[in-house]
Amino acid sequence: MDANKEPPVVHPAVAALSFLLGTWRGQGEGGYPTINSFSYAEELHFSHSPNKTWKLGSGEPMHAESGYWRPKLDGTIEVVIAQSTGLVEVQKGTYSTEQKVIQLQSEMVGNASKVKEIRRCFRMVDGTLCYDVEMATNTITLQPHLKAALKKL
Ligand code: HEM
């Protein structure tokens, strides 16, 4: 960690589990009645401030999410995402390496009070990663919610 930086303040609700924070590495063993036992190595990272969006101006954290992108060689892709709000989504779609476009449509949105559907589109425009997010709720049909342009760091 940068010695000049204050460590981030631990949210009170997270403090009880702060012993988990950090990067952990080791080995494990797995098995199940239907499979052969196996050994494995693992690196596990727990962080309490993974926020990836913040308010312009104040810097206050906004939404955060993380997940897995699962492209297949046939140009289809599945993305699973867990959001900081508790919402989970399974997205399916297509990608084009030539056009550098990825289009995703939610197949499943779970643990959401009002969100019914989410569509995400990513495209590279002159070296900038642009994306749009559309969303439908229980009262509103599919409408734009976000669009952004990101530069590679
Ligand atoms: C509001 C969902 C991503 C910022 C909302 C609402 C929902 C929602 C359901 C409430 C709409 C309503 O009241 O009818 C989602 C979903 C997201 C997402 C499913 C990802 C796919 C984001 C991100 C940001 C953000 C990345 C910030 C960068 C906001 C803000 C509001 C909002 C500022 C208005 C809050 C308010 O006025 O109370 N979002 N959101 N959202 N969202 Fe998102």
Side-chain angles (χ1 to χ4, degrees):
M1 191 198 295
D2 183 343
N4 297 320
K5 272 192 187 164
E6 293 289 321
V9 177
V10 179
H11 188 280
V14 175
L17 293 176
S18 58
F19 61 89
L20 290 172
L21 296 173
T23 302
W24 306 77
R25 187 189 267 246
Q27 289 185 11
E29 281 157 29
Y32 197 69
T34 53
I35 62 173
N36 293 324
S37 299
F38 57 95
S39 302
Y40 61 94
E42 178 168 14
E43 190 173 287
L44 193 56
H45 184 69
F46 285 101
S47 161
H48 61 84
S49 55
N51 298 290
K52 292 291 191 294
T53 58
W54 58 94
K55 286 190 180 166
L56 286 171
S58 72
E60 201 181 322
M62 297 183 83
H63 171 109
E65 60 188 41
S66 74
Y68 293 92
W69 287 55
R70 295 161 35 84
K72 287 191 190 157
L73 291 174
D74 66 0
T76 62
I77 180 167
E78 179 182 290
V79 179
V80 291
I81 300 175
Q83 298 192 9
S84 52
T85 54
L87 180 153
V88 292
E89 56 186 296
V90 176
Q91 294 277 352
K92 291 200 176 170
T94 55
Y95 68 91
S96 157
T97 316
E98 237 168 58
Q99 295 172 345
K100 294 197 166 74
V101 175
I102 303 127
Q103 285 177 299
L104 300 169
Q105 164 74 48
S106 61
E107 173 133 320
M108 186 278 258
V109 174
N111 199 30
S113 55
K114 52 171 95 166
V115 180
K116 295 289 174 212
E117 187 183 342
I118 300 166
R119 236 179 240 183
R120 297 173 181 253
C121 179
F122 294 79
R123 75 200 91 77
M124 290 293 290
V125 182
D126 299 330
T128 297
L129 179 62
C130 300
Y131 73 77
D132 294 285
V133 175
E134 292 178 279
M135 150 175 105
T137 65
N138 47 4
T139 53
I140 310 279
T141 56
L142 206 60
Q143 298 291 328
H145 181 39
L146 306 161
K147 65 174 177 177
L150 312 176
K151 297 277 183 207
K152 194 166 200 177
L153 296 180

